[in-house]
Amino acid sequence: MAKKLYWAYVSFVDQTGGKELPVLYVRENQDSYFVYRLTTKFANKSPQIQKNYFEILDWQAAGLPQKSWIDRGRINKLHRATTKLRHIGELTTHDIKRLAAFKS
């Protein structure tokens, strides 16, 4: 189960550009990292989008600066050659178990 959190530059889905975001590392292959984005913006999202967001209850223990959610709506592919992952921390056992049971 994925548990490591990193900072990484992630491209926007619906526009050009991107920004440095916390991500949950899922796996990698020779060319890419596969991650879920984290967000602090939950309340202003539609119910349709919110259903894909997993709340990290132990966000401080995980090393995050503020309350965060994992966007399970889509997995993001980051090219290894152009992506630098900077370690933040790890999900707690409590949140890992909850994430394993999460159904969006």
Side-chain angles (χ1 to χ4, degrees), residues 10-29:
V10 180
S11 298
F12 294 130
V13 175
D14 54 355
Q15 57 188 344
T16 59
K19 66 180 179 179
E20 188 95 350
L21 294 171
V23 297
L24 174 65
Y25 171 91
V26 177
R27 68 180 184 281
E28 64 186 85
N29 64 23

Side-chain angles (χ1 to χ4, degrees), residues 10-100:
V10 180
S11 298
F12 294 130
V13 175
D14 54 355
Q15 57 188 344
T16 59
K19 66 180 179 179
E20 188 95 350
L21 294 171
V23 297
L24 174 65
Y25 171 91
V26 177
R27 68 180 184 281
E28 64 186 85
N29 64 23
Q30 185 175 353
D31 302 316
S32 303
Y33 298 114
F34 298 89
V35 301
Y36 287 116
R37 292 191 215 201
L38 274 63
T39 185
T40 59
K41 311 272 191 277
F42 179 81
N44 61 343
K45 300 294 183 184
S46 71
Q48 185 70 18
I49 292 174
Q50 285 180 350
K51 73 176 186 155
N52 293 317
Y53 283 10
F54 172 82
E55 183 179 5
I56 300 172
L57 296 180
D58 302 329
W59 56 272
Q60 290 172 309
L64 295 165
Q66 56 187 311
K67 189 175 186 89
S68 300
W69 287 260
I70 299 168
D71 180 354
R72 292 284 307 266
R74 87 178 190 106
I75 205 159
N76 295 266
K77 181 179 176 180
L78 308 176
H79 297 285
R80 288 180 66 157
T82 58
T83 301
K84 180 179 179 181
L85 298 178
R86 291 185 302 120
H87 190 257
I88 297 171
E90 296 184 359
L91 295 177
T92 63
T93 302
H94 176 243
D95 278 330
I96 291 169
K97 288 179 183 177
R98 292 178 51 252
L99 181 58

